Amino acid sequence: MLHYKISSILALFLASRSSHAAPSHHSNSTIEWGPCDPSVVSEPSLSCGFLEVPLDYQDPSVGNARLALAKANATGERRGSVFFNPGGPGDSGVAELGIPGFKDVLLAVTGGVYDIITWDPRGVGTLTTPGEIFCFDSLEEYLTFFNGTIELTGIEETGNFTDPADVSALFAQAPVVQKKYEELGQKCLNAPTGKYLKYIGTSAAVRDMVSIANAIDGPDAPINYYGISYGSLIGSWFVNMFPERVGRVMLDGIVNPVTFATEKPSEHFSHQFASSDNVYKGLLTGCALAGPSGCPAASEGDGPLDIDAKVQELIKAAHDATLVNASVPLTSGQFRVEFFAEMYATADWGRYMKENFTQIVETIKGEAPGANVSLTKRSDRFVRRNRLLGRTTSNDSPSYSIHAISCGDAIDLQGVTMEEQFKGIINNTRNISHLFGTYWPAPDYLCAYWPVRAVERYQGPFNKKLANKIIVASNVYDPITPLPSAEEVARQLGDSAVLVKQNGFGHSTLAEPSTCMRSLFSGYMANGTLPTNNTLCEVDALEIFPGVTTADILAHLPSTDV
Ligand SMILES: *[C@@H]1O[C@H](CO)[C@@H](O)[C@H](O)[C@H]1NC(C)=O
Ligand SMILES: *[C@@H]1O[C@H](CO)[C@@H](O)[C@H](O)[C@H]1NC(C)=O
Ligand SMILES: *[C@@H]1O[C@H](CO)[C@@H](O)[C@H](O)[C@H]1NC(C)=O
Ligand SMILES: *[C@@H]1O[C@H](CO)[C@@H](O)[C@H](O)[C@H]1NC(C)=O
Ligand SMILES: *[C@@H]1O[C@H](CO)[C@@H](O)[C@H](O)[C@H]1NC(C)=O
Ligand SMILES: *[C@@H]1O[C@H](CO)[C@@H](O)[C@H](O)[C@H]1NC(C)=O
Ligand SMILES: *[C@@H]1O[C@H](CO)[C@@H](O)[C@H](O)[C@H]1NC(C)=O
Ligand SMILES: *[C@@H]1O[C@H](CO)[C@@H](O)[C@H](O)[C@H]1NC(C)=O
Ligand SMILES: *[C@@H]1O[C@H](CO)[C@@H](O)[C@H](O)[C@H]1NC(C)=O
Ligand SMILES: *[C@@H]1O[C@H](CO)[C@@H](O)[C@H](O)[C@H]1NC(C)=O
Ligand SMILES: *[C@@H]1O[C@H](CO)[C@@H](O)[C@H](O)[C@H]1NC(C)=O
């Protein structure tokens, strides 16, 4: 999946809240809670522990997995637990709960009456066994393996793949990249973590969560859950695999479980990118309203389309420079990937456009033949994942945990060629997201060559009658988990789900503060208060650009038909 994670927006909602620990009551704990491993978690108020679970729930003879858990105590009188998964897939729940201030946000959102329990799923982090998935021994080996391919440089194109030369250049890579991916699949299988690949995936994660809940609250207790982004997929699978165990469940930033269970990556990306360009239009609009003093990309009097033209020129400049020298510091493909990440984090737009974007413009200007701006190699954005969140590991090569989870779960894609996937990318670029359709690499495209599928994959139905009504939340403009996915989950669940929307931009409702949404969440979690179906929450009057709020942007947004 395309990093459906929230760590890129975590810094934005670190509201502080005083916390008073109340005694927590464990009915049948087989988990020894103690201090957390300081190499992963520096927050001293968390407790950590481990739970052993079967690697294969259908075949105990295979042996056990050992899950790393973390807990933040309820602030009020404890009424149970709420389980939390931060997304990714592949993000470490333990490390993210340990980010200073984040537990306070989660406690506030969930009403303060539950202990927040999270865990590192199989294939994630350094504490759970099996842990982080690696296919290379070192970064050097990875860079050599993919040298000269789009894996390292991204895809070059301008306009809407309008230049036939760009189309032929991409198709020329198809057999090369397919062969690399086939080899990579075998490398992953032969690596030390290869024997675990078939035990990694979302069904196992759901059963693990139920095992943890059984250990903490007993085998009959309702299970409360809060899942964001890919965490919403764990949630969709959980409520449909264990409908009778559903307690209070909130899903936010929704991955469509139906398309995920039935479609090829190039097709499900056509749904996931549905709002990406609208989020980009939101950024352009805010920039235009702020003007040159608040957003240097704007000239005096510029409207959103004028700024778009400058972004397109910038892409063209990087594209042309890359054709001359493939080793430029920033290719147009890399720029798209980096810029897409910013679409998640609305509250960061003003700072980004002032600082990072201005620097990107300088970097790309310096790439032009004859320019004498000094060129500095920007950090390699394709390989930085496993350095996130203080994860310590002796292997500096990129992690393949996202691939292991997404591909373990994926439909069977035997026989899908790279050429076919590239056709889908061109189609998505022309028809769905003009700016981000060429996002590359994305883990899903490896799935056709991934060597195994998980021993259990839940493929539906997704319309079970649940023991309790759940909340399904979405931003109106989300770049990667668009509103139609939330509508589909709510439609499938019918009477069992209430849909709530937040009138703003970014990935999940956490991307922008909304007192309305937060109190709706905490009222549901603490008191079981169900909001009116299809409630639309406004966001708080935070300035996204100097003097410009989301309400200002919404009032001036150009037509959002794509
Ligand atoms: C959390 O609650 C447990 C159980 O009451 C208690 O033993 C532990 O000390 C608490 N942790 C913190 C950091 O307050
Ligand atoms: C990649 O290939 C180029 C040209 O063939 C070579 O100069 C360079 O050293 C290679 N880089 C790596 C990391 O293998
Ligand atoms: C891509 O196509 C759309 C729809 O035809 C058009 O509005 C847009 O300007 C095009 N973008 C570029 C950069 O050519
Ligand atoms: C506690 O756990 C044990 C071992 O899993 C189980 O046999 C027992 O029934 C559980 N007791 C309760 C009260 O849940
Ligand atoms: C290509 O760009 C790289 C990085 O900026 C630079 O080191 C190298 O000298 C350039 N190669 C040519 C042939 O200009
Ligand atoms: C923006 O620039 C700062 C400072 O150069 C850097 O630390 C940060 O990672 C950049 N942010 C993004 C989203 O690239
Ligand atoms: C190149 O750099 C020199 C020295 O810093 C400067 O005088 C000159 O104007 C620059 N040329 C261009 C085309 O930017
Ligand atoms: C192109 O995209 C459209 C709309 O997203 C879809 O209906 C069509 O099947 C796609 N065609 C191909 C060849 O993928
Ligand atoms: C765009 O979608 C239309 C129909 O939805 C389809 O006919 C067309 O082939 C697609 N464009 C590309 C480039 O595939
Ligand atoms: C809420 O509305 C959505 C349509 O927006 C619908 O699919 C869903 O079934 C409704 N839920 C309830 C509880 O009525
Ligand atoms: C739950 O209901 C009580 C009583 O009406 C109220 O005081 C409290 O603020 C509510 N809690 C939340 C989190 O909404």
Side-chain angles (χ1 to χ4, degrees), residues 156 163 165-166 169 316-328 331:
E156 292 302 306
D163 186 345
D166 290 336
K316 177 88 165 61
H319 166 273
D320 292 352
T322 305
L323 290 190
V324 177
N325 180 355
S327 306
V328 292
T331 69

Side-chain angles (χ1 to χ4, degrees), residues 195-473:
K195 62 177 178 292
Y196 293 120
L197 295 180
K198 65 182 174 200
Y199 306 119
I200 289 171
T202 303
S203 281
V206 167
R207 291 191 188 280
D208 288 347
M209 179 172 80
V210 172
S211 298
I212 302 166
N214 290 349
I216 296 175
D217 291 323
D220 303 316
I223 298 175
N224 307 310
Y225 176 71
Y226 179 31
I228 304 173
S229 196
Y230 159 77
S232 78
L233 193 72
I234 295 185
S236 282
W237 288 32
F238 159 62
V239 301
N240 285 287
M241 287 168 71
F242 293 91
E244 73 290 351
R245 293 297 299 273
V246 172
R248 293 184 184 157
V249 171
M250 302 194 299
L251 309 181
D252 185 2
I254 308 295
V255 177
N256 184 332
V258 181
T259 54
F260 185 77
T262 53
E263 293 189 348
K264 297 172 189 168
S266 56
E267 289 164 6
H268 62 79
F269 277 132
S270 73
H271 308 289
Q272 287 172 224
F273 285 137
S275 299
S276 314
D277 284 12
N278 290 336
V279 178
Y280 167 63
K281 283 182 192 167
L283 180 144
L284 296 176
T285 303
C287 182
L289 290 171
S293 62
C295 182
S299 303
E300 203 58 60
D302 271 359
L305 295 180
D306 303 305
I307 303 168
D308 175 49
K310 287 177 189 162
V311 173
Q312 299 298 340
E313 272 168 34
L314 189 68
I315 288 172
K316 177 88 165 61
H319 166 273
D320 292 352
T322 305
L323 290 190
V324 177
N325 180 355
S327 306
V328 292
L330 188 66
T331 69
S332 77
Q334 290 165 342
F335 166 69
R336 283 179 209 277
V337 168
E338 174 169 333
F339 201 40
F340 186 65
E342 197 57 24
M343 298 303 121
Y344 288 35
T346 317
D348 188 49
W349 286 356
R351 194 205 57 76
Y352 179 88
M353 289 306 284
K354 196 151 203 161
E355 296 168 15
N356 302 60
F357 190 80
T358 305
Q359 196 203 335
I360 287 167
V361 171
E362 285 307 304
T363 301
I364 292 177
K365 260 194 213 159
E367 294 173 355
N372 66 2
V373 179
S374 75
L375 293 176
T376 45
K377 182 84 181 150
R378 295 174 62 82
S379 67
D380 197 329
R381 53 204 47 76
F382 291 158
V383 300
R384 66 187 167 180
R385 245 197 72 78
N386 64 334
R387 280 189 278 278
L388 284 173
L389 298 170
R391 253 185 245 181
T392 51
T393 145
S394 52
N395 189 332
D396 65 353
S397 74
S399 158
Y400 279 86
S401 295
I402 302 188
H403 309 69
I405 297 168
S406 308
C407 299
D409 288 344
I411 61 168
D412 209 330
L413 292 162
Q414 303 255 321
V416 171
T417 63
M418 197 57 76
E419 185 174 311
E420 186 182 337
Q421 305 208 73
F422 286 175
K423 280 182 183 156
I425 286 174
I426 293 172
N427 190 3
N428 290 342
T429 303
R430 290 181 178 160
N431 275 336
I432 309 290
S433 174
H434 307 306
L435 203 59
F436 304 113
T438 41
Y439 190 108
W440 188 279
D444 308 52
Y445 298 118
L446 179 59
C447 294
Y449 319 102
W450 192 250
V452 302
R453 288 297 180 266
V455 290
E456 184 186 9
R457 289 181 284 156
Y458 186 75
Q459 308 272 292
F462 293 102
N463 60 358
K464 297 278 183 70
K465 170 99 185 132
L466 312 183
N468 277 297
K469 287 189 210 269
I470 71 165
I471 289 193
V472 176

Side-chain angles (χ1 to χ4, degrees), residues 91-106:
D91 282 0
S92 161
V94 173
E96 297 208 5
L97 191 62
I99 292 175
F102 188 46
K103 76 169 174 45
D104 302 312
V105 174
L106 293 176

